[in-house]
């Protein structure tokens, strides 16, 4: 899912409705996962109350913020290049201030101020409420930094501003942080320990979106299936909760059902899942409610038990395959997608072949595949030598990508002749006469525009396909309309 979000949102400057009384201009870019984009909406909301209107023109900005990602080295290098661009503009517009937000800010902290002389402010993912105070420090000529990680959900009381929105789909964050210490991942260090958001604040946010005409929401979390609300605090402290808190705790399957029942005409997605937390209770809720999309993004990372253990993934190859079988038995039309890393330290050709054979077993609908990128501070970065040759990594990655392309084509062909429900999201990229949206399985569907419009739920009969797109003809509005 994160690569899909990357492609949709990468580097986008964000646009906010202007307030006439605001005199300062904010330019903000977001990189990385959906959570970063959601956080940028929170930042924009906070700064609106501080006198800022957003602008798409970098050169006229009083404040430039870049919301960063640390998941791969490539993402960090992209941010460094953007800072070079900001520096060039700042020489022309010296009043402009520059701030770095997000995971890269949390990882590098004061080091960022030393390395990037252009940066005036460094703010971690849990410190955005402190932006007004930090801006005052910057305006008084001092560098400002706040990268303290929180033990609470942090932003449940802030109504995000919907930025660059199509008015149809929106993100709703339900958890922050992660307790799964995968050896390759920086998230526990940059976003802290896992904690969940109060259910009624989630319902209230979705109600607001529904009242504004949105038709689909995606429940977000680094590990969304492990959502657990027992009155606040870290998930790891749940065993210290009172009997009443334990008895009334809301788990992900409860929240998912609450949302499905409260908003029967709202389409619901969620991301990202972890195999160890995808329980049968969740699957039965997905199967029960037609407005919950039949798409589960289930990162496997490797098909080798030896590599999975080295990654500290809490599932084996066999357990993962059993989980796939269970999903398919409960939700026969489920689309399952993957994340896979090629070239993790010590990966052998046999390990790589295990990954390919697991892919053959599952035949994922699509996936997000990467060559291993060593991340400073992670256990793999500290303890494991990045010993797979770059050319070997890239060759293995290409073999994974090629096999996925075959499987994606196999999965799209399964829809030929079938009628699918599509939520129209935008005009087709290739023709203004066509509309584009996704079906319940999150596969893109393109069909002739006719009298339909963005935001409509349309039944489409599939007549053709590529490995990534379904092509068809509308046969009428769906029951969700």
């Amino acid at each position: 899912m994160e690569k899909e979000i990357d492609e949709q949102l990468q580097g986008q400057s964000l646009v906010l409705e202007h307030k006439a009384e605001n005199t300062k201009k904010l330019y903000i870019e977001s990189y990385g996962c959906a959570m970063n984009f959601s956080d940028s909406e929170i930042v924009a909301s906070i700064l609106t109350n501080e006198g800022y209107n957003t602008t798409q023109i970098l050169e006229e900005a009083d404040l430039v913020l870049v919301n960063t990602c640390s998941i791969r080295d490539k993402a960090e290098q992209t941010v460094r290049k953007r800072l070079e661009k900001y520096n060039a503009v700042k020489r022309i517009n010296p009043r402009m201030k520059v701030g770095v937000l997000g995971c890269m800010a949390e990882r590098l902290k004061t080091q960022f101020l030393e390395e990037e002389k252009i940066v005036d402010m460094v703010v971690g993912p849990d410190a955005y409420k402190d932006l007004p105070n930090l801006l005052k420090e910057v305006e008084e000529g001092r560098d400002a930094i706040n990268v303290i990680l929180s033990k609470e959900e942090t932003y449940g009381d802030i109504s995000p501003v919907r930025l660059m929105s199509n008015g149809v789909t929106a993100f709703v964050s339900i958890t922050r942080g992660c307790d799964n210490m995968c050896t390759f991942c920086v998230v526990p260090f940059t976003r802290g320990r896992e904690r969940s958001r109060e259910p009624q604040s989630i319902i209230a946010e979705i109600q607001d979106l529904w009242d504004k005409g949105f038709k689909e929401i995606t429940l977000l979390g680094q590990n969304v299936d492990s959502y657990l609300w027992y009155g606040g605090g870290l998930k790891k402290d749940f065993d210290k909760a009172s009997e009443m808190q334990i008895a009334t705790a809301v788990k992900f399957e409860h929240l998912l059902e609450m949302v499905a029942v409260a908003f029967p005409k709202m389409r619901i997605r969620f991301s990202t899942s972890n195999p160890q937390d995808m329980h049968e209770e969740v699957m039965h809720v997905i199967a029960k409610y037609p407005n919950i999309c039949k798409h589960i993004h289930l990162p496997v990372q490797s098909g080798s038990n030896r590599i999975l253990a080295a990654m500290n993934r809490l599932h084996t190859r066999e357990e993962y395959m059993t989980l796939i079988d269970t999903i398919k038995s409960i939700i026969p039309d489920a689309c399952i997608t993957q994340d896979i890393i090629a070239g993790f330290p010590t990966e052998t050709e046999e390990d790589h072949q295990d990954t390919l054979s697991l892919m053959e077993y599952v035949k994922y609908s699509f996936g997000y595949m990467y060559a291993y990128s060593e991340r400073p501070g992670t256990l793999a970065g500290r303890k494991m030598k990045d010993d797979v040759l770059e050319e070997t990594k890239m060759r293995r990655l290409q073999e994974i990508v090629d096999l996925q392309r075959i499987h994606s084509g196999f999965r799209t062909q399964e829809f030929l002749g079938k009628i699918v429900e599509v939520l129209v999201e935008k005009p087709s990229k290739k023709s203004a006469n066509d509309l584009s949206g996704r079906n319940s399985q999150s596969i893109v569907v393109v069909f002739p525009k006719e009298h339909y419009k963005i935001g409509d739920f349309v039944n489409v009969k599939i007549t053709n396909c590529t490995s990534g797109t379904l092509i068809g003809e509308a046969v009428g509005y769906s029951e969700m309309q």
Side-chain angles (χ1 to χ4, degrees), residues 31 33 35-36 39 66-71 76 100-109 112 123-125 128 147 186-187 189-191 222:
Y31 291 85
C33 68
M35 187 66 76
N36 266 9
D39 282 356
V66 55
N67 199 342
T68 62
C69 175
S70 281
I71 199 72
E76 291 198 357
V100 175
L101 312 178
C103 294
M104 200 171 170
E106 184 68 42
R107 189 179 78 78
L108 294 174
K109 301 180 174 67
F112 223 130
V123 190
Y128 299 144
V147 291
V186 298
V187 167
F189 307 104
T190 60
R191 287 190 172 270
Q222 265 79 33

PDB file of all heavy atoms in Angstrom, residues 31 33 35-36 39 66-71 76 100-109 112 123-125 128 147 186-187 189-191 222:
ATOM      1  N   TYR A  31       5.961  13.454   1.688  1.00  0.00           N
ATOM      2  CA  TYR A  31       6.582  12.291   1.055  1.00  0.00           C
ATOM      3  C   TYR A  31       6.325  11.043   1.893  1.00  0.00           C
ATOM      4  O   TYR A  31       6.220  11.113   3.116  1.00  0.00           O
ATOM      5  CB  TYR A  31       8.095  12.491   0.903  1.00  0.00           C
ATOM      6  CG  TYR A  31       8.444  13.554  -0.106  1.00  0.00           C
ATOM      7  CD1 TYR A  31       8.484  14.896   0.255  1.00  0.00           C
ATOM      8  CD2 TYR A  31       8.708  13.225  -1.431  1.00  0.00           C
ATOM      9  CE1 TYR A  31       8.787  15.877  -0.672  1.00  0.00           C
ATOM     10  CE2 TYR A  31       9.010  14.201  -2.361  1.00  0.00           C
ATOM     11  CZ  TYR A  31       9.039  15.516  -1.986  1.00  0.00           C
ATOM     12  OH  TYR A  31       9.329  16.490  -2.918  1.00  0.00           O
ATOM     13  N   CYS A  33       4.451   7.560   3.253  1.00  0.00           N
ATOM     14  CA  CYS A  33       3.248   6.761   3.445  1.00  0.00           C
ATOM     15  C   CYS A  33       2.007   7.624   3.645  1.00  0.00           C
ATOM     16  O   CYS A  33       2.084   8.843   3.812  1.00  0.00           O
ATOM     17  CB  CYS A  33       3.425   5.833   4.649  1.00  0.00           C
ATOM     18  SG  CYS A  33       3.499   6.696   6.227  1.00  0.00           S
ATOM     19  N   MET A  35       0.189   7.811   6.219  1.00  0.00           N
ATOM     20  CA  MET A  35       0.186   8.443   7.530  1.00  0.00           C
ATOM     21  C   MET A  35       0.845   9.818   7.468  1.00  0.00           C
ATOM     22  O   MET A  35       0.388  10.763   8.122  1.00  0.00           O
ATOM     23  CB  MET A  35       0.904   7.559   8.547  1.00  0.00           C
ATOM     24  CG  MET A  35       0.807   8.060   9.970  1.00  0.00           C
ATOM     25  SD  MET A  35      -0.873   8.019  10.636  1.00  0.00           S
ATOM     26  CE  MET A  35      -1.044   6.271  10.959  1.00  0.00           C
ATOM     27  N   ASN A  36       1.909   9.958   6.689  1.00  0.00           N
ATOM     28  CA  ASN A  36       2.552  11.266   6.530  1.00  0.00           C
ATOM     29  C   ASN A  36       1.597  12.270   5.889  1.00  0.00           C
ATOM     30  O   ASN A  36       1.527  13.430   6.295  1.00  0.00           O
ATOM     31  CB  ASN A  36       3.817  11.141   5.676  1.00  0.00           C
ATOM     32  CG  ASN A  36       5.054  10.954   6.525  1.00  0.00           C
ATOM     33  OD1 ASN A  36       4.965  10.745   7.727  1.00  0.00           O
ATOM     34  ND2 ASN A  36       6.213  11.013   5.899  1.00  0.00           N
ATOM     35  N   ASP A  39      -0.888  13.289   8.402  1.00  0.00           N
ATOM     36  CA  ASP A  39      -0.276  14.220   9.350  1.00  0.00           C
ATOM     37  C   ASP A  39      -0.165  15.620   8.776  1.00  0.00           C
ATOM     38  O   ASP A  39      -0.317  16.620   9.489  1.00  0.00           O
ATOM     39  CB  ASP A  39       1.110  13.725   9.756  1.00  0.00           C
ATOM     40  CG  ASP A  39       1.057  12.608  10.795  1.00  0.00           C
ATOM     41  OD1 ASP A  39      -0.049  12.282  11.250  1.00  0.00           O
ATOM     42  OD2 ASP A  39       2.133  12.074  11.139  1.00  0.00           O
ATOM     43  N   VAL A  66       8.494  20.358   4.832  1.00  0.00           N
ATOM     44  CA  VAL A  66       8.555  19.104   4.085  1.00  0.00           C
ATOM     45  C   VAL A  66       8.362  17.974   5.084  1.00  0.00           C
ATOM     46  O   VAL A  66       9.080  17.858   6.074  1.00  0.00           O
ATOM     47  CB  VAL A  66       9.879  18.960   3.296  1.00  0.00           C
ATOM     48  CG1 VAL A  66      11.102  19.107   4.188  1.00  0.00           C
ATOM     49  CG2 VAL A  66       9.910  17.641   2.541  1.00  0.00           C
ATOM     50  N   ASN A  67       7.328  17.173   4.853  1.00  0.00           N
ATOM     51  CA  ASN A  67       6.996  16.047   5.729  1.00  0.00           C
ATOM     52  C   ASN A  67       7.688  14.809   5.170  1.00  0.00           C
ATOM     53  O   ASN A  67       7.390  14.369   4.060  1.00  0.00           O
ATOM     54  CB  ASN A  67       5.481  15.858   5.794  1.00  0.00           C
ATOM     55  CG  ASN A  67       5.065  15.054   7.008  1.00  0.00           C
ATOM     56  OD1 ASN A  67       5.873  14.373   7.617  1.00  0.00           O
ATOM     57  ND2 ASN A  67       3.791  15.141   7.351  1.00  0.00           N
ATOM     58  N   THR A  68       8.600  14.239   5.943  1.00  0.00           N
ATOM     59  CA  THR A  68       9.583  13.305   5.410  1.00  0.00           C
ATOM     60  C   THR A  68       9.322  11.853   5.768  1.00  0.00           C
ATOM     61  O   THR A  68       8.616  11.534   6.716  1.00  0.00           O
ATOM     62  CB  THR A  68      10.983  13.685   5.922  1.00  0.00           C
ATOM     63  OG1 THR A  68      10.977  13.573   7.360  1.00  0.00           O
ATOM     64  CG2 THR A  68      11.347  15.096   5.524  1.00  0.00           C
ATOM     65  N   CYS A  69       9.978  10.985   5.007  1.00  0.00           N
ATOM     66  CA  CYS A  69       9.911   9.538   5.189  1.00  0.00           C
ATOM     67  C   CYS A  69      11.327   8.999   5.367  1.00  0.00           C
ATOM     68  O   CYS A  69      12.256   9.463   4.709  1.00  0.00           O
ATOM     69  CB  CYS A  69       9.253   8.902   3.966  1.00  0.00           C
ATOM     70  SG  CYS A  69       9.240   7.092   3.985  1.00  0.00           S
ATOM     71  N   SER A  70      11.482   7.998   6.248  1.00  0.00           N
ATOM     72  CA  SER A  70      12.792   7.379   6.486  1.00  0.00           C
ATOM     73  C   SER A  70      12.808   5.894   6.169  1.00  0.00           C
ATOM     74  O   SER A  70      13.770   5.211   6.490  1.00  0.00           O
ATOM     75  CB  SER A  70      13.211   7.576   7.953  1.00  0.00           C
ATOM     76  OG  SER A  70      13.722   8.861   8.172  1.00  0.00           O
ATOM     77  N   ILE A  71      11.758   5.387   5.546  1.00  0.00           N
ATOM     78  CA  ILE A  71      11.632   3.946   5.379  1.00  0.00           C
ATOM     79  C   ILE A  71      12.720   3.383   4.469  1.00  0.00           C
ATOM     80  O   ILE A  71      13.170   2.262   4.618  1.00  0.00           O
ATOM     81  CB  ILE A  71      10.226   3.579   4.847  1.00  0.00           C
ATOM     82  CG1 ILE A  71       9.925   2.094   5.105  1.00  0.00           C
ATOM     83  CG2 ILE A  71      10.078   3.935   3.381  1.00  0.00           C
ATOM     84  CD1 ILE A  71       9.658   1.769   6.537  1.00  0.00           C
ATOM     85  N   GLU A  76      14.949   9.483   1.757  1.00  0.00           N
ATOM     86  CA  GLU A  76      15.696  10.540   2.432  1.00  0.00           C
ATOM     87  C   GLU A  76      16.497  11.367   1.431  1.00  0.00           C
ATOM     88  O   GLU A  76      16.609  12.591   1.571  1.00  0.00           O
ATOM     89  CB  GLU A  76      16.613   9.931   3.492  1.00  0.00           C
ATOM     90  CG  GLU A  76      15.863   9.344   4.674  1.00  0.00           C
ATOM     91  CD  GLU A  76      16.736   9.151   5.895  1.00  0.00           C
ATOM     92  OE1 GLU A  76      17.954   9.423   5.802  1.00  0.00           O
ATOM     93  OE2 GLU A  76      16.206   8.747   6.951  1.00  0.00           O
ATOM     94  N   VAL A 100      11.540  20.876   8.741  1.00  0.00           N
ATOM     95  CA  VAL A 100      11.485  19.462   8.374  1.00  0.00           C
ATOM     96  C   VAL A 100      10.608  18.743   9.393  1.00  0.00           C
ATOM     97  O   VAL A 100      10.828  18.843  10.599  1.00  0.00           O
ATOM     98  CB  VAL A 100      12.885  18.834   8.332  1.00  0.00           C
ATOM     99  CG1 VAL A 100      12.784  17.331   8.058  1.00  0.00           C
ATOM    100  CG2 VAL A 100      13.737  19.511   7.268  1.00  0.00           C
ATOM    101  N   LEU A 101       9.603  18.036   8.902  1.00  0.00           N
ATOM    102  CA  LEU A 101       8.665  17.307   9.742  1.00  0.00           C
ATOM    103  C   LEU A 101       8.849  15.808   9.550  1.00  0.00           C
ATOM    104  O   LEU A 101       9.513  15.355   8.623  1.00  0.00           O
ATOM    105  CB  LEU A 101       7.221  17.675   9.382  1.00  0.00           C
ATOM    106  CG  LEU A 101       6.849  19.151   9.233  1.00  0.00           C
ATOM    107  CD1 LEU A 101       5.386  19.264   8.819  1.00  0.00           C
ATOM    108  CD2 LEU A 101       7.117  19.914  10.515  1.00  0.00           C
ATOM    109  N   GLY A 102       8.229  15.020  10.430  1.00  0.00           N
ATOM    110  CA  GLY A 102       8.059  13.601  10.180  1.00  0.00           C
ATOM    111  C   GLY A 102       9.200  12.716  10.619  1.00  0.00           C
ATOM    112  O   GLY A 102      10.019  13.061  11.480  1.00  0.00           O
ATOM    113  N   CYS A 103       9.275  11.555   9.991  1.00  0.00           N
ATOM    114  CA  CYS A 103      10.157  10.480  10.442  1.00  0.00           C
ATOM    115  C   CYS A 103      11.633  10.823  10.301  1.00  0.00           C
ATOM    116  O   CYS A 103      12.448  10.457  11.147  1.00  0.00           O
ATOM    117  CB  CYS A 103       9.842   9.199   9.677  1.00  0.00           C
ATOM    118  SG  CYS A 103       8.196   8.530  10.044  1.00  0.00           S
ATOM    119  N   MET A 104      12.000  11.514   9.237  1.00  0.00           N
ATOM    120  CA  MET A 104      13.398  11.885   9.042  1.00  0.00           C
ATOM    121  C   MET A 104      13.822  12.889  10.114  1.00  0.00           C
ATOM    122  O   MET A 104      14.949  12.843  10.620  1.00  0.00           O
ATOM    123  CB  MET A 104      13.565  12.484   7.645  1.00  0.00           C
ATOM    124  CG  MET A 104      14.979  12.475   7.115  1.00  0.00           C
ATOM    125  SD  MET A 104      14.948  12.981   5.372  1.00  0.00           S
ATOM    126  CE  MET A 104      16.708  13.184   5.075  1.00  0.00           C
ATOM    127  N   ALA A 105      12.913  13.785  10.490  1.00  0.00           N
ATOM    128  CA  ALA A 105      13.188  14.740  11.563  1.00  0.00           C
ATOM    129  C   ALA A 105      13.398  14.002  12.883  1.00  0.00           C
ATOM    130  O   ALA A 105      14.316  14.313  13.649  1.00  0.00           O
ATOM    131  CB  ALA A 105      12.024  15.726  11.693  1.00  0.00           C
ATOM    132  N   GLU A 106      12.558  13.008  13.155  1.00  0.00           N
ATOM    133  CA  GLU A 106      12.684  12.240  14.389  1.00  0.00           C
ATOM    134  C   GLU A 106      13.977  11.443  14.415  1.00  0.00           C
ATOM    135  O   GLU A 106      14.647  11.333  15.445  1.00  0.00           O
ATOM    136  CB  GLU A 106      11.481  11.297  14.523  1.00  0.00           C
ATOM    137  CG  GLU A 106      11.441  10.506  15.802  1.00  0.00           C
ATOM    138  CD  GLU A 106      11.182  11.375  17.012  1.00  0.00           C
ATOM    139  OE1 GLU A 106      10.334  12.275  16.928  1.00  0.00           O
ATOM    140  OE2 GLU A 106      11.847  11.159  18.040  1.00  0.00           O
ATOM    141  N   ARG A 107      14.359  10.883  13.269  1.00  0.00           N
ATOM    142  CA  ARG A 107      15.558  10.037  13.228  1.00  0.00           C
ATOM    143  C   ARG A 107      16.836  10.841  13.401  1.00  0.00           C
ATOM    144  O   ARG A 107      17.758  10.441  14.116  1.00  0.00           O
ATOM    145  CB  ARG A 107      15.602   9.262  11.897  1.00  0.00           C
ATOM    146  CG  ARG A 107      16.697   8.197  11.866  1.00  0.00           C
ATOM    147  CD  ARG A 107      16.706   7.430  10.566  1.00  0.00           C
ATOM    148  NE  ARG A 107      17.324   8.161   9.479  1.00  0.00           N
ATOM    149  CZ  ARG A 107      18.641   8.297   9.313  1.00  0.00           C
ATOM    150  NH1 ARG A 107      19.483   7.778  10.192  1.00  0.00           N
ATOM    151  NH2 ARG A 107      19.131   8.947   8.279  1.00  0.00           N
ATOM    152  N   LEU A 108      16.906  12.009  12.749  1.00  0.00           N
ATOM    153  CA  LEU A 108      18.160  12.774  12.730  1.00  0.00           C
ATOM    154  C   LEU A 108      18.237  13.853  13.805  1.00  0.00           C
ATOM    155  O   LEU A 108      19.319  14.292  14.181  1.00  0.00           O
ATOM    156  CB  LEU A 108      18.361  13.392  11.345  1.00  0.00           C
ATOM    157  CG  LEU A 108      18.588  12.377  10.218  1.00  0.00           C
ATOM    158  CD1 LEU A 108      18.640  13.073   8.861  1.00  0.00           C
ATOM    159  CD2 LEU A 108      19.864  11.588  10.430  1.00  0.00           C
ATOM    160  N   LYS A 109      17.086  14.352  14.242  1.00  0.00           N
ATOM    161  CA  LYS A 109      17.013  15.324  15.334  1.00  0.00           C
ATOM    162  C   LYS A 109      17.941  16.516  15.103  1.00  0.00           C
ATOM    163  O   LYS A 109      17.914  17.127  14.030  1.00  0.00           O
ATOM    164  CB  LYS A 109      17.292  14.623  16.659  1.00  0.00           C
ATOM    165  CG  LYS A 109      16.313  13.479  16.976  1.00  0.00           C
ATOM    166  CD  LYS A 109      16.640  12.828  18.280  1.00  0.00           C
ATOM    167  CE  LYS A 109      15.580  11.782  18.674  1.00  0.00           C
ATOM    168  NZ  LYS A 109      15.555  10.625  17.768  1.00  0.00           N
ATOM    169  N   PHE A 112      20.136  17.216  11.954  1.00  0.00           N
ATOM    170  CA  PHE A 112      19.580  17.848  10.758  1.00  0.00           C
ATOM    171  C   PHE A 112      19.945  19.332  10.712  1.00  0.00           C
ATOM    172  O   PHE A 112      20.287  19.874   9.664  1.00  0.00           O
ATOM    173  CB  PHE A 112      18.057  17.679  10.739  1.00  0.00           C
ATOM    174  CG  PHE A 112      17.533  17.318   9.380  1.00  0.00           C
ATOM    175  CD1 PHE A 112      16.675  16.252   9.224  1.00  0.00           C
ATOM    176  CD2 PHE A 112      17.887  18.041   8.259  1.00  0.00           C
ATOM    177  CE1 PHE A 112      16.179  15.902   7.984  1.00  0.00           C
ATOM    178  CE2 PHE A 112      17.405  17.707   7.013  1.00  0.00           C
ATOM    179  CZ  PHE A 112      16.555  16.644   6.871  1.00  0.00           C
ATOM    180  N   VAL A 123      10.767  19.020  13.506  1.00  0.00           N
ATOM    181  CA  VAL A 123       9.589  18.662  14.303  1.00  0.00           C
ATOM    182  C   VAL A 123       9.218  17.202  14.039  1.00  0.00           C
ATOM    183  O   VAL A 123       8.918  16.820  12.909  1.00  0.00           O
ATOM    184  CB  VAL A 123       8.387  19.573  13.966  1.00  0.00           C
ATOM    185  CG1 VAL A 123       7.263  19.346  14.966  1.00  0.00           C
ATOM    186  CG2 VAL A 123       8.806  21.036  13.938  1.00  0.00           C
ATOM    187  N   GLY A 124       9.224  16.394  15.095  1.00  0.00           N
ATOM    188  CA  GLY A 124       8.866  14.990  14.971  1.00  0.00           C
ATOM    189  C   GLY A 124       7.374  14.775  14.835  1.00  0.00           C
ATOM    190  O   GLY A 124       6.564  15.682  15.071  1.00  0.00           O
ATOM    191  N   PRO A 125       6.962  13.546  14.491  1.00  0.00           N
ATOM    192  CA  PRO A 125       5.553  13.258  14.194  1.00  0.00           C
ATOM    193  C   PRO A 125       4.588  13.488  15.350  1.00  0.00           C
ATOM    194  O   PRO A 125       3.393  13.657  15.117  1.00  0.00           O
ATOM    195  CB  PRO A 125       5.577  11.772  13.799  1.00  0.00           C
ATOM    196  CG  PRO A 125       6.976  11.497  13.396  1.00  0.00           C
ATOM    197  CD  PRO A 125       7.833  12.380  14.234  1.00  0.00           C
ATOM    198  N   TYR A 128       3.489  18.138  16.553  1.00  0.00           N
ATOM    199  CA  TYR A 128       2.914  19.177  15.699  1.00  0.00           C
ATOM    200  C   TYR A 128       2.079  20.196  16.470  1.00  0.00           C
ATOM    201  O   TYR A 128       1.947  21.338  16.040  1.00  0.00           O
ATOM    202  CB  TYR A 128       2.097  18.543  14.568  1.00  0.00           C
ATOM    203  CG  TYR A 128       2.934  17.658  13.665  1.00  0.00           C
ATOM    204  CD1 TYR A 128       2.422  16.493  13.119  1.00  0.00           C
ATOM    205  CD2 TYR A 128       4.250  17.987  13.372  1.00  0.00           C
ATOM    206  CE1 TYR A 128       3.193  15.675  12.302  1.00  0.00           C
ATOM    207  CE2 TYR A 128       5.028  17.171  12.565  1.00  0.00           C
ATOM    208  CZ  TYR A 128       4.489  16.011  12.035  1.00  0.00           C
ATOM    209  OH  TYR A 128       5.261  15.205  11.236  1.00  0.00           O
ATOM    210  N   VAL A 147      11.193  16.788  19.107  1.00  0.00           N
ATOM    211  CA  VAL A 147      11.056  15.435  18.558  1.00  0.00           C
ATOM    212  C   VAL A 147      10.685  14.436  19.655  1.00  0.00           C
ATOM    213  O   VAL A 147      11.002  13.256  19.582  1.00  0.00           O
ATOM    214  CB  VAL A 147      12.351  14.986  17.851  1.00  0.00           C
ATOM    215  CG1 VAL A 147      12.565  15.779  16.576  1.00  0.00           C
ATOM    216  CG2 VAL A 147      13.566  15.141  18.774  1.00  0.00           C
ATOM    217  N   VAL A 186      12.515   1.402  10.619  1.00  0.00           N
ATOM    218  CA  VAL A 186      12.772   2.529  11.517  1.00  0.00           C
ATOM    219  C   VAL A 186      11.515   3.033  12.212  1.00  0.00           C
ATOM    220  O   VAL A 186      11.606   3.885  13.100  1.00  0.00           O
ATOM    221  CB  VAL A 186      13.418   3.712  10.755  1.00  0.00           C
ATOM    222  CG1 VAL A 186      14.758   3.326  10.171  1.00  0.00           C
ATOM    223  CG2 VAL A 186      12.483   4.240   9.663  1.00  0.00           C
ATOM    224  N   VAL A 187      10.342   2.541  11.835  1.00  0.00           N
ATOM    225  CA  VAL A 187       9.090   3.121  12.337  1.00  0.00           C
ATOM    226  C   VAL A 187       9.000   3.150  13.864  1.00  0.00           C
ATOM    227  O   VAL A 187       8.608   4.168  14.437  1.00  0.00           O
ATOM    228  CB  VAL A 187       7.873   2.405  11.712  1.00  0.00           C
ATOM    229  CG1 VAL A 187       6.584   2.777  12.449  1.00  0.00           C
ATOM    230  CG2 VAL A 187       7.743   2.775  10.239  1.00  0.00           C
ATOM    231  N   PHE A 189      11.206   3.614  15.942  1.00  0.00           N
ATOM    232  CA  PHE A 189      12.110   4.646  16.438  1.00  0.00           C
ATOM    233  C   PHE A 189      11.662   6.053  16.045  1.00  0.00           C
ATOM    234  O   PHE A 189      11.942   7.018  16.750  1.00  0.00           O
ATOM    235  CB  PHE A 189      13.533   4.395  15.910  1.00  0.00           C
ATOM    236  CG  PHE A 189      14.034   3.009  16.199  1.00  0.00           C
ATOM    237  CD1 PHE A 189      14.082   2.053  15.185  1.00  0.00           C
ATOM    238  CD2 PHE A 189      14.428   2.637  17.472  1.00  0.00           C
ATOM    239  CE1 PHE A 189      14.533   0.768  15.441  1.00  0.00           C
ATOM    240  CE2 PHE A 189      14.875   1.348  17.735  1.00  0.00           C
ATOM    241  CZ  PHE A 189      14.927   0.412  16.722  1.00  0.00           C
ATOM    242  N   THR A 190      10.965   6.164  14.923  1.00  0.00           N
ATOM    243  CA  THR A 190      10.557   7.487  14.447  1.00  0.00           C
ATOM    244  C   THR A 190       9.133   7.850  14.834  1.00  0.00           C
ATOM    245  O   THR A 190       8.785   9.031  14.900  1.00  0.00           O
ATOM    246  CB  THR A 190      10.697   7.587  12.916  1.00  0.00           C
ATOM    247  OG1 THR A 190       9.868   6.589  12.298  1.00  0.00           O
ATOM    248  CG2 THR A 190      12.148   7.380  12.485  1.00  0.00           C
ATOM    249  N   ARG A 191       8.302   6.839  15.105  1.00  0.00           N
ATOM    250  CA  ARG A 191       6.899   7.101  15.457  1.00  0.00           C
ATOM    251  C   ARG A 191       6.509   6.540  16.816  1.00  0.00           C
ATOM    252  O   ARG A 191       5.372   6.680  17.243  1.00  0.00           O
ATOM    253  CB  ARG A 191       5.963   6.569  14.364  1.00  0.00           C
ATOM    254  CG  ARG A 191       5.999   7.416  13.095  1.00  0.00           C
ATOM    255  CD  ARG A 191       4.916   7.028  12.124  1.00  0.00           C
ATOM    256  NE  ARG A 191       4.832   7.958  11.018  1.00  0.00           N
ATOM    257  CZ  ARG A 191       4.077   9.051  11.001  1.00  0.00           C
ATOM    258  NH1 ARG A 191       3.354   9.357  12.054  1.00  0.00           N
ATOM    259  NH2 ARG A 191       4.053   9.834   9.946  1.00  0.00           N
ATOM    260  N   GLN A 222       0.116   2.148  11.287  1.00  0.00           N
ATOM    261  CA  GLN A 222       1.290   1.364  10.900  1.00  0.00           C
ATOM    262  C   GLN A 222       0.985  -0.131  11.018  1.00  0.00           C
ATOM    263  O   GLN A 222       1.525  -0.932  10.281  1.00  0.00           O
ATOM    264  CB  GLN A 222       2.477   1.715  11.810  1.00  0.00           C
ATOM    265  CG  GLN A 222       3.405   2.773  11.241  1.00  0.00           C
ATOM    266  CD  GLN A 222       2.827   4.171  11.417  1.00  0.00           C
ATOM    267  OE1 GLN A 222       2.140   4.433  12.391  1.00  0.00           O
ATOM    268  NE2 GLN A 222       3.098   5.068  10.493  1.00  0.00           N
TER     269      GLN A 222
END
